[in-house]
Amino acid sequence: DVKVTQSSRYLVKRTGEKVFLECVQDMDHENMFWYRQDPGLGLRLIYFSYDVKMKEKGDIPEGYSVSREKKERFSLILESASTNQTSMYLCASRPPPVSPLHFGNGTRLTVT
Amino acid sequence: DQQVKQNSPSLSVQEGRISILNCDYTNSMFDYFLWYKKYPAEGPTFLISISSIKDKNEDGRFTVFLNKSAKHLSLHIVPSQPGDSAVYFCAASGIGTGANNLFFGTGTRLTVIP
């Protein structure tokens, strides 16, 4: 069974802090994704990576960056956290081609 | 602009009855559709999918119907059980839409009343 693990379930950070959200998958999937979930907006794609060191912007990349140095790990970085980045962040992975995403349990980030 | 829409934010159904969750999409390039279920404090879990070459796909109590001409899909749960209470998201993707992206709807909260 695919396991996608997000390092933190809950995080509270201050405005202006640099924040790292970590995600690890154990199924050797090429594709990894970061989404955020907000009430009334569904899930929106921030970034995805289709291979090590490869990344592409999703629909809402502003204020975020990502890092994928190893196949199993995909990190989301908030360079300078702001209150409008308070959200549920979801990491997902899948093998290509198009197939269902496997999600982690999410990180609920609060920026004060 | 929301390309995948779930117009009902919530739905309540009696246990044992049918639950019907609806989803509309606007992009005719979508050719792969999925339903996810999400419990609070957990990530979404994949439920069922359908490709555009089919109009129905069934898996146990769950059936997804696709009406391409209406750009509409629906998820039927029969019989509904209290454990089905969750938020359901539909999602779509397709060649030409950014094949690596899934476009999600805003979700429908299903409550199954015992």
Side-chain angles (χ1 to χ4, degrees), chain A:
Chain A
D1 214 14
V2 177
K3 194 168 174 73
V4 179
T5 303
Q6 294 183 232
S7 55
S8 304
R9 294 297 299 271
Y10 301 94
L11 274 179
V12 180
K13 296 291 181 181
R14 293 192 180 276
T15 302
E17 278 193 78
K18 190 168 185 175
V19 181
F20 293 85
L21 302 183
E22 306 287 345
C23 175
V24 176
Q25 51 97 359
D26 66 357
M27 283 301 292
D28 205 35
H29 287 167
E30 282 85 355
N31 294 352
M32 296 189 74
F33 303 76
W34 276 106
Y35 286 85
R36 62 179 281 178
Q37 182 198 354
D38 300 289
L41 296 176
L43 278 70
R44 294 178 293 165
L45 182 66
I46 305 171
Y47 267 98
F48 72 91
S49 168
Y50 48 92
D51 205 347
V52 175
K53 296 191 186 295
M54 308 301 282
K55 61 187 180 185
E56 283 197 25
K57 294 179 180 179
D59 298 320
I60 50 165
E62 296 78 18
Y64 303 95
S65 62
V66 290
S67 171
R68 191 155 180 215
E69 297 296 319
K70 294 185 178 181
K71 193 173 186 179
E72 68 270 19
R73 186 180 297 271
F74 192 34
S75 303
L76 180 69
I77 303 154
L78 285 66
E79 299 290 344
S80 177
S82 63
T83 54
N84 63 12
Q85 293 178 311
T86 291
S87 186
M88 168 70 84
Y89 289 88
L90 293 159
C91 175
S93 74
R94 72 169 179 209
V98 176
S99 59
L101 295 174
H102 300 269
F103 283 90
N105 278 335
T107 296
R108 181 161 295 282
L109 173 68
T110 302
V111 183
T112 60

Side-chain angles (χ1 to χ4, degrees), chain B residues 1-17:
Chain B
D1 188 28
Q2 197 79 19
Q3 298 190 58
V4 178
K5 299 177 184 178
Q6 293 175 258
N7 293 318
S8 298
S10 62
L11 174 68
S12 291
V13 170
Q14 289 284 339
E15 181 178 2
R17 299 287 186 98

